[in-house]
């Protein structure tokens, strides 16, 4: 049964139950009973009703799924690192300038209006963890059994591990709550160590994997999803940030809260490698287009584009559809990834625009690095690049889609125009997709680029929505996780094999066999940056690798000028946004309100 049909059937069953309950209460009102005021409210169910009805138990779990981090929104996590820049100044700058404090978290604040960031705040994550604990307690209390209940049990363990994963990577060791509190409980709880938090998550995911089916509806947790998330958690936990506190948290009295203080880092890399290999060995996931021989680069471009413009493929491990996220949100919260990000000259908002640093990371089609210092490349910077460049970036001169009816006469071919054209008098006319352009000048790119990834060119994004899912986890990430762990263990040939699998699918040549050591690691990190661009990894990768001080630099863009009478533009690299790094930004501060409520909480370093 499809996810949408399953959801529709459930709603039908639920409406029938509400109707029957209302009818029963109506009969109660009509009888001659002195206790007619002593009734059950019709806007809620008692525990006994909820936890003895499979449809209502399923509804309860569906509601927990809504707490996942939805990746498509006005501001994406990519704009909080070196991948992109959001154009509205909606409180992302304090993040990229390391200006957060316990009393001010900018776009990451618990009361900030963008729902997708609210879902990963301390308060929301613990609210959803409480819902998970409530389910687990009531399954035991009401002795719920059966195949469906077992599956839901596994899903909730996965979700609890997922919510604790977001707490871990933002705050380090956190209080581990595995029950629902009552008014009689002591509500002040200390933080657990980083190690204890990792171990708790891994146990939840292992237990989930033992209960979940191997395959099924990918909008619900499966065994593969639990093992893949475990792979991510162990990869992160093995990384240098969590064994190098003395390098960045000088004088911090509780290093055990933000990393390991003992144990063997190599053993942790072995565990990360095994976790990724466990997913690979399931044998049910494959790269989209795996094994294909691309006759032209355009075929490789189309293949990568279509990874994200389908509802399900063998590469998908965990999907998230919007109507499981928040189907009651107002229009501004709807899945409008195209409206939020397509060029303003097409009546898009051009919100999360690629930085020059991301654009320049895409290699040439022969596998060599791109450089503005190379005269031949600098003259034609957008020719002969990695096919993923054309699948992910809209640049000056790129063909996009037919323009809307009110602007099509200005550009019948649908060509992105982010340059400026010199006139006979020496002045410049702004291209249709610049912030100074004639169509919309309240939004649009500062960097000279727009995001192409995820966007369906067949959709008129000004008015229509595309309903493809957000990919919480896909198989390419698992292969890269495995390759990274192999590199850290010195197993370079094995790592190169799996990196090349991804590059071959992308239409790129193998990594040179002469690359070893740091050179090979740097190449891997660039490959991960390109393959997983905009997928909520880079923000954490630059932290766990401890390269944030190097890469959080002023955001770059491109200024493009067409001299009068010439079709050959002149390119100038420019700085478009101030950015700076402070080591405290490796973790977020615990909110001042939480510290004030619970004096047992210890603040993170630097705050």
């Amino acid at each position: 049964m499809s996810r949408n049909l399953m959801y529709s059937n459930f709603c039908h069953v639920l409406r029938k139950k509400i109707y029957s309950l209302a009818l029963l209460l109506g009969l109660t009102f009509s009888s001659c009973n002195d206790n007619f005021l002593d009734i059950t409210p019709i806007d809620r169910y008692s525990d006994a009703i909820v936890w003895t009805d499979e449809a209502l138990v399923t509804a309860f779990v569906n509601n927990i799924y809504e707490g996942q981090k939805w990746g498509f929104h006005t501001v994406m996590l990519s704009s909080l690192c070196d991948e992109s820049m959001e154009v509205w100044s909606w409180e992302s700058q304090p993040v990229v300038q390391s200006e957060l404090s316990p009393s001010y978290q900018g776009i990451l604040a618990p009361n900030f209006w963008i729902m997708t960031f609210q879902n990963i705040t301390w308060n929301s994550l613990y609210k959803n963890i409480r819902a998970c604990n409530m389910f687990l307690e009531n399954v035991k209390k009401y002795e719920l059994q059966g195949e469906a209940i077992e599956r839901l049990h596994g899903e909730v363990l996965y979700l609890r591990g997922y919510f604790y994963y977001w707490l871990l990577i933002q705050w380090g060791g956190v209080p581990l709550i595995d029950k629902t509190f009552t008014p009689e409980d002591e509500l002040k709880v200390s933080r657990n160590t980083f190690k204890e938090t990792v171990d708790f998550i891994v146990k939840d995911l292992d237990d989930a994997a033992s209960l979940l089916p191997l395959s099924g509806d990918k909008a619900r947790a499966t065994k593969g999803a639990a093992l893949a998330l475990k792979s991510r958690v162990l990869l992160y936990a093995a990384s240098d940030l969590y064994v190098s506190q003395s390098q960045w948290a000088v004088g911090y009295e509780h290093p055990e809260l933000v990393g390991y203080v003992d144990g063997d880092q190599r053993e942790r890399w072995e565990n990360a490698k095994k976790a990724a290999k466990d997913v690979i060995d399931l044998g049910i996931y494959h790269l989209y287009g795996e094994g294909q021989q691309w006759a032209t680069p355009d075929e490789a471009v189309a293949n990568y584009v279509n990874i994200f413009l389908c509802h399900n493929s063998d590469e998908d491990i965990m999907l998230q559809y919007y109507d499981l996220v928040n189907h009651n949100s107002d229009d501004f919260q709807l899945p409008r990834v195209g409206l939020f990000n397509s060029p303003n000259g097409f009546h898009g908002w051009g919100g999360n625009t690629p930085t020059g640093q991301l654009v320049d990371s895409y290699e040439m089609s022969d596998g060599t690095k791109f450089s503005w210092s190379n005269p031949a490349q600098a003259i034609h910077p957008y020719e002969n690049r990695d096919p993923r460049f054309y699948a992910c970036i809209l640049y000056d001169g790129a063909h996009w889609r037919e323009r809307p009816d009110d602007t099509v006469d200005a550009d019948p071919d649908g060509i992105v125009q982010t340059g400026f054209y010199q006139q006979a008098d020496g002045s410049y006319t702004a291209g249709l997709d610049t912030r100074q352009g004639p169509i919309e000048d309240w939004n649009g790119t500062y960097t000279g680029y727009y995001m192409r990834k995820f966007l369906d060119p067949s959709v008129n994004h000004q008015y229509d929505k595309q309903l493809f899912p957000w990919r919480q986890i896909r198989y390419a990430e698992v292969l890269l996780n495995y390759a990274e762990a192999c590199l850290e263990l010195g197993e370079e040939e094995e790592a190169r094999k799996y990196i090349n699998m991804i590059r071959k699918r992308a239409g790129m040549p193998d990594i040179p066999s002469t690359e070893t050591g740091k050179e090979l690691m740097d190449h891997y990190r660039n490959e991960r940056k390109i393959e997983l661009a905009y997928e909520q990894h880079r923000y954490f990768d630059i932290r766990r690798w401890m390269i944030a001080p190097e890469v959080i630099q002023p955001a770059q863009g491109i200024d493009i000028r067409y001299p009068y009478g010439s079709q050959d533009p002149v390119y100038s690299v420019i700085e478009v946004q101030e950015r700076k790094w402070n080591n405290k930004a490796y973790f977020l501060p615990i909110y001042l309100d939480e510290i004030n409520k619970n004096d047992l909480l210890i603040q993170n370093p630097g705050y």
Side-chain angles (χ1 to χ4, degrees):
M1 181 182 295
S2 71
R3 181 191 54 79
N4 289 332
L5 182 58
M6 176 186 69
Y7 183 74
S8 176
N9 288 345
F10 163 71
C11 290
H12 176 68
V13 171
L14 185 57
R15 283 193 295 269
K16 288 176 64 178
K17 290 180 179 293
I18 293 173
Y19 175 78
S20 300
L21 185 59
L23 179 61
L24 176 62
L25 291 172
L27 291 173
T28 303
F29 274 119
S30 65
S31 65
C32 296
N33 189 329
D34 292 339
N35 297 323
F36 71 94
L37 291 178
D38 186 17
I39 61 172
T40 302
I42 65 172
D43 64 342
R44 68 197 71 176
Y45 292 111
S46 69
D47 281 357
I49 292 175
V50 171
W51 300 108
T52 56
D53 187 292
E54 187 176 302
L56 293 179
V57 173
T58 302
F60 186 89
V61 175
N62 287 350
N63 192 62
I64 302 175
Y65 273 100
E66 293 181 7
Q68 295 177 97
K69 172 74 169 66
W70 177 248
F72 298 138
H73 216 286
T74 43
V75 180
M76 300 173 71
L77 198 60
S78 60
S79 288
L80 305 188
C81 63
D82 61 335
E83 286 182 315
S84 68
M85 170 187 174
E86 66 95 353
V87 302
W88 306 290
S89 301
W90 283 345
E91 298 296 299
S92 66
Q93 293 96 324
V95 181
V96 296
Q97 294 181 19
S98 300
E99 293 178 345
L100 303 189
S101 72
S103 57
Y104 175 66
Q105 294 87 34
I107 202 169
L108 300 175
N111 58 349
F112 197 82
W113 62 268
I114 294 182
M115 182 198 70
T116 187
F117 285 111
Q118 290 178 9
N119 277 2
I120 57 169
T121 62
W122 180 284
N123 311 49
S124 292
L125 290 165
Y126 273 112
K127 179 189 74 174
N128 285 300
I129 288 168
R130 185 180 189 278
C132 293
N133 291 337
M134 185 180 298
F135 172 92
L136 297 171
E137 290 173 354
N138 281 291
V139 164
K140 182 177 181 180
K141 176 180 177 181
Y142 289 93
E143 299 181 342
L144 303 182
Q145 296 180 353
E147 183 179 338
I149 294 299
E150 182 174 279
R151 174 180 55 78
L152 291 171
H153 191 165
E155 290 179 18
V156 169
L157 286 171
Y158 168 87
L159 288 166
R160 189 171 70 173
Y162 172 90
F163 297 132
Y164 270 117
Y165 151 76
W166 278 99
L167 285 165
L168 174 79
I169 58 176
Q170 294 184 99
W171 287 282
V174 295
L176 296 174
I177 311 299
D178 61 0
K179 69 173 187 174
T180 55
F181 283 128
T182 68
E184 290 74 34
D185 288 322
E186 173 55 58
L187 301 181
K188 294 184 177 182
V189 183
S190 300
R191 294 174 65 178
N192 287 77
T193 67
F194 182 87
K195 179 182 185 302
E196 289 169 341
T197 306
V198 171
D199 291 346
F200 185 93
I201 296 168
V202 169
K203 184 178 187 306
D204 264 0
L205 296 175
D206 279 338
D207 291 346
S210 71
L211 296 171
L212 289 168
L214 181 63
S215 59
D217 183 349
K218 291 182 179 180
R220 311 191 74 93
T222 60
K223 179 176 182 176
L227 294 179
L229 182 57
K230 173 185 172 182
S231 163
R232 184 189 298 176
V233 170
L234 289 177
L235 181 87
Y236 283 22
S239 301
D240 285 349
L241 175 65
Y242 309 113
V243 294
S244 304
Q245 303 92 310
S246 61
Q247 296 180 23
W248 65 272
V250 179
Y252 187 56
E253 296 181 355
H254 297 278
E256 73 281 359
L257 298 179
V258 291
Y260 291 94
V261 293
D262 53 24
D264 182 356
Q265 187 181 15
R266 183 177 178 83
E267 181 182 1
R268 292 193 283 274
W269 282 118
E270 292 279 6
N271 292 337
K273 176 189 171 185
K274 181 181 183 304
K277 194 64 163 56
D278 285 345
V279 181
I280 296 169
D281 289 345
L282 292 176
I284 61 174
Y285 301 113
H286 306 279
L287 293 175
Y288 188 90
E290 184 177 81
Q292 296 292 321
Q293 298 292 325
W294 310 122
T296 67
D298 287 346
E299 291 182 358
V301 172
N303 183 75
Y304 190 83
V305 166
N306 289 332
I307 293 172
F308 309 98
L309 300 185
C310 67
H311 288 284
N312 182 15
S313 77
D314 288 347
E315 184 160 342
D316 296 321
I317 297 179
M318 185 69 188
L319 302 175
Q320 183 182 7
Y321 280 87
Y322 189 80
D323 60 5
L324 276 180
V325 176
N326 196 322
H327 47 271
N328 294 318
S329 291
D330 60 34
D331 186 64
F332 201 61
Q333 302 275 4
L334 288 172
R336 303 298 295 273
V337 60
L339 175 65
F340 297 160
N341 293 289
S342 59
N344 64 342
F346 293 78
H347 290 307
W349 294 6
N352 298 275
T353 57
T355 61
Q357 285 94 331
L358 174 63
V359 171
D360 296 350
S361 297
Y362 288 88
E363 298 172 358
M364 305 302 292
S365 59
D366 64 0
T368 57
K369 294 181 180 180
F370 170 82
S371 174
W372 287 104
S373 299
N374 183 314
Q377 294 176 1
I379 293 174
H380 302 291
Y382 310 133
E383 295 182 3
N384 301 317
R385 301 289 289 274
D386 183 328
R388 289 170 292 187
F389 169 81
Y390 304 103
C392 296
I393 308 296
L394 289 174
Y395 54 92
D396 184 68
H399 179 267
W400 175 220
R401 62 181 307 277
E402 184 176 299
R403 290 192 185 263
D405 292 343
D406 62 333
T407 64
V408 68
D409 289 344
D411 171 29
D413 298 321
I415 303 299
V416 174
Q417 300 176 22
T418 57
F420 295 82
Y421 303 85
Q422 189 176 38
Q423 305 303 303
D425 63 359
S427 64
Y428 283 88
T429 299
L432 299 180
D433 303 299
T434 63
R435 289 186 69 85
Q436 300 80 13
I439 298 175
E440 291 187 4
D441 60 2
W442 65 275
N443 54 16
T445 181
Y446 287 96
T447 67
Y449 304 107
Y450 287 96
M451 187 181 85
R452 163 70 178 89
K453 192 171 184 175
F454 311 122
L455 307 190
D456 186 348
S458 70
V459 173
N460 182 350
H461 296 289
Q462 182 182 6
Y463 300 111
D464 301 324
K465 309 173 186 70
Q466 64 176 62
L467 299 177
F468 298 114
W470 172 256
R471 275 132 175 107
Q472 288 279 351
I473 312 174
R474 62 185 179 98
Y475 188 49
E477 177 202 341
V478 174
L479 298 181
L480 289 167
N481 292 351
Y482 180 73
E484 182 174 340
C486 289
L487 285 176
E488 292 288 355
L489 293 167
E491 301 169 9
E492 294 186 348
E493 286 307 308
E494 181 76 353
R496 190 179 280 108
K497 171 184 172 182
Y498 283 85
I499 299 169
N500 287 339
M501 288 171 59
I502 292 174
R503 289 175 64 85
K504 182 176 181 180
R505 184 272 295 277
M508 289 292 288
D510 288 351
I511 289 180
S513 59
T514 55
E515 289 187 5
T516 60
K518 184 179 184 302
E519 184 181 17
L520 179 57
M521 177 63 79
D522 288 345
H523 204 153
Y524 159 79
R525 290 179 175 181
N526 193 72
E527 183 68 22
R528 184 178 177 96
K529 177 181 182 180
I530 296 312
E531 176 66 27
L532 302 180
Y534 281 96
E535 296 183 49
Q536 301 191 149
H537 294 280
R538 181 69 177 174
Y539 176 90
F540 301 107
D541 285 344
I542 65 174
R543 286 164 168 77
R544 65 186 184 86
W545 292 333
M546 300 187 74
I547 64 171
E550 304 165 26
V551 302
I552 298 298
Q553 301 292 331
Q556 293 179 348
I558 193 72
D559 180 81
I560 305 170
R561 303 282 164 164
Y562 288 85
Y564 179 67
S566 173
Q567 297 298 313
D568 298 322
V570 176
Y571 301 94
S572 301
V573 176
I574 59 173
E575 292 185 359
V576 294
Q577 186 187 48
E578 181 185 359
R579 296 182 172 189
K580 55 189 177 183
W581 178 258
N582 186 305
N583 281 343
K584 68 178 183 179
Y586 281 122
F587 289 95
L588 293 182
I590 298 176
Y591 310 138
L592 183 61
D593 286 349
E594 295 299 323
I595 296 288
N596 289 339
K597 287 186 294 186
N598 180 4
D599 57 12
L600 295 182
L601 291 177
I602 296 171
Q603 186 58 270
N604 274 331
Y607 298 104

